[in-house]
Amino acid sequence: MPRQAPISPDPEPGFLPVAGETLPELASAQIYRAIIEGRQPPGSHVPEAAVARAMGLSRGPVREGLRLLERKGLVVFHARRGFFVRNLTTEGLDDLF
């Protein structure tokens, strides 16, 4: 059996540990980037199941990630319809950032 090198307790120079980010936070970050980059345009439906499948996650962490974005005002939830990217005005963008 090949011998594995011991894990160094010191991180490589210039890199920070990524511990602490949860799956919902990671999903939220990817969806956020998709919105900011225009891959999810304003008013578009964010299909929970398709996003989860593309990320290799179950729907739960994606749904929680979308809830995080809902609290930030980037998406809105409509009962029995799902999440949609919020239509923002320039004033609305100023409020978010």
Side-chain angles (χ1 to χ4, degrees):
M1 183 171 263
R3 195 164 172 229
Q4 293 182 344
I7 297 173
S8 170
D10 297 324
E12 291 293 322
F15 294 99
L16 299 174
V18 293
E21 284 192 296
T22 63
L23 289 177
E25 290 168 336
L26 294 170
S28 173
Q30 285 196 46
I31 298 165
Y32 173 84
R33 277 193 301 278
I35 293 169
I36 297 303
E37 293 171 359
R39 292 181 283 130
Q40 283 289 153
S44 68
H45 179 242
V46 183
E48 211 176 280
V51 170
R53 201 170 27 258
M55 290 183 187
L57 299 173
S58 65
R59 289 174 61 181
V62 172
R63 184 179 310 114
E64 290 177 46
L66 285 163
R67 290 285 182 203
L68 292 172
L69 293 175
E70 182 183 33
R71 282 186 230 125
K72 292 180 180 179
L74 287 172
V75 298
V76 293
F77 179 75
H78 297 286
R80 293 181 294 283
R81 293 180 54 215
F83 289 93
F84 292 81
V85 178
R86 186 170 164 206
N87 287 311
L88 294 170
T89 62
T90 52
E91 294 82 22
L93 284 172
D94 288 340
D95 291 341
L96 289 175
F97 302 102

